[in-house]
Amino acid sequence: MKEMRHHIKSAVQMIFVILIIAVVMGCGEKQTGIEGKVIDGKGQPMSGIKVTAKQFRPVKGYEQFETTTDSEGIFRFKGLFPTSEYSIVAWSDEWKTSEKAMVKTGLVGKTSILSLPIMVRFTLSNDGIITDSKLGLQWAPAPDQPMDWFQAKKYAQKLSLGGGGWRLPTRSELKSIYSISMKGGADPVFQINENWVWTSEAQGDSAWFCSFVYGREGTIFRNYLGSYGRVLAVRSPK
């Protein structure tokens, strides 16, 4: 009996999908859309930004669409597959971001409007520099290598990425990128992966660090070389 109900349910779902395809194809055009807005870390609209809509479960002819934001940061997609999930990502030829939104399209003839703008705070440039559009700082992703405080400071000062000028961050600067909602404690572009990171603030033989597991701070000997100590280099834009 259970097996029969399962087959009936599967058959009904298949018929529903077929009906949607038939309706869309029968109309002679694709009939559903998505509308949203892209803003930077300060809440300002981002114009001229490319936006891609990629279908979560691809249906031939509806897999991916691309558009560009207007002067108010608004983007609009038309011709998407009805009642289907799409991943929305903003990008440019100069940078990419890990920010995205999952949106489900409506029925035929309907346009789904994002309830919140897509905020692009952190972007990773083609040459490997992270820019924070909210605070105006630039960051270098953390190398996957443990360091003590002296090694971390030397690494940052000698880093030649983008012309140099790097340093260790302050406690407040590190806390500004911590996010409890992000896997690893911060945006994936930083490559921290729940490690703790040295700050520039020394205190005798010790220095402050910030942990990206729970967002807590603490001090530890500057010559301590643990397997989880990492370095993030920061600078003000040139």
Side-chain angles (χ1 to χ4, degrees), residues 146-154 157 168 196-209 218-226 229-231:
M147 301 183 193
D148 66 25
W149 185 84
F150 299 100
Q151 293 170 330
K153 183 179 180 180
K154 185 176 181 180
Q157 291 175 338
L168 288 182
W196 54 268
V197 181
W198 289 107
T199 77
S200 60
E201 299 176 34
Q203 183 175 303
D205 293 332
S206 299
W208 284 89
F209 69 87
T219 59
I220 198 169
F221 289 117
R222 287 190 281 173
N223 60 359
Y224 176 75
L225 182 61
R230 295 294 187 271
V231 55

Side-chain angles (χ1 to χ4, degrees), residues 68-95:
T68 304
T69 59
D70 63 18
S71 60
E72 296 181 349
I74 304 295
F75 64 87
R76 297 177 179 88
F77 288 105
K78 296 181 179 180
L80 281 68
F81 196 80
T83 62
S84 181
E85 286 187 314
Y86 281 84
S87 173
I88 311 297
V89 178
W91 58 284
S92 83
D93 294 329
E94 288 76 39
W95 53 259

Side-chain angles (χ1 to χ4, degrees), residues 113-138:
I113 300 177
L114 272 65
S115 58
L116 295 173
I118 298 176
M119 179 182 287
V120 179
R121 178 180 173 183
F122 300 112
T123 58
L124 180 64
S125 68
N126 295 335
D127 57 1
I129 296 175
I130 302 166
T131 298
D132 179 355
S133 62
K134 181 178 182 179
L135 300 181
L137 295 172
Q138 291 183 335

